[in-house]
Amino acid sequence: MSQSPPTRHWAIVVALLTVLWLVAALLLLGWLVAIGLEGWADRHGDDAARAREIGRRGSAVLLSLYLTVAGGPVVVAVVAFAGRLVRTATVYLSLALVLGAGGLPIGADAARDLRPPPPPVPAGPGGCQEHSGGDTRCPGG
């Protein structure tokens, strides 16, 4: 059974998107390994700000990797549905669900690391003040 020419064109587009998705995931994985090696090489340093910056970069790349790995099959599935390649689209949607659910804890942890820390609580008047008459109790109790 041969495919019709329009379906064949859609199959080529799906194949190219699949290759693009895999190459992007591999590039991001390589970038993540490079950041990990940089952090490993810098682990004996005393610069806490640099360690935090390397950690934030690693979390950003890890979140990008998660979104690429889980979102790439969704894009391919949409294109496959548009080309009436229903079985192919179903396979890619299933793959997206498995990869998305499997990597969700990793993606959520990376997103949590990227959130800015809460602002420090301003130091208001605190402690007890001595009152006239030698009373050193705190006001209000």
Side-chain angles (χ1 to χ4, degrees), residues 96-111:
L97 287 173
V98 168
L99 293 174
L104 187 61
I106 295 169
D109 190 39

Side-chain angles (χ1 to χ4, degrees), residues 7-65:
T7 305
R8 188 174 308 128
H9 293 299
W10 283 104
I12 291 171
V13 172
V14 166
L16 289 175
L17 284 175
T18 301
V19 169
L20 180 66
W21 166 60
L22 292 173
V23 167
L26 288 174
L27 286 174
L28 286 169
L29 185 62
W31 192 8
L32 188 63
V33 168
I35 290 172
L37 288 174
E38 181 183 355
W40 178 70
D42 198 47
R43 70 181 173 165
H44 296 295
D46 293 333
D47 192 3
R50 178 163 166 72
R52 279 193 305 274
E53 189 265 330
I54 290 173
R56 286 186 63 76
R57 277 193 299 142
S59 292
V61 173
L62 185 61
L63 183 61
S64 299
L65 178 63

Side-chain angles (χ1 to χ4, degrees), residues 1-20 75-89 92:
M1 182 168 109
S2 69
Q3 296 177 338
S4 66
T7 305
R8 188 174 308 128
H9 293 299
W10 283 104
I12 291 171
V13 172
V14 166
L16 289 175
L17 284 175
T18 301
V19 169
L20 180 66
V75 172
V76 177
V78 168
V79 170
F81 270 126
R84 296 189 181 133
L85 301 169
V86 178
R87 285 184 293 209
T88 304
Y92 275 101

Side-chain angles (χ1 to χ4, degrees), residues 122-138:
C128 296
Q129 295 180 351
E130 188 171 337
H131 298 283
S132 61
D135 185 13
T136 57
R137 291 183 300 141
C138 291

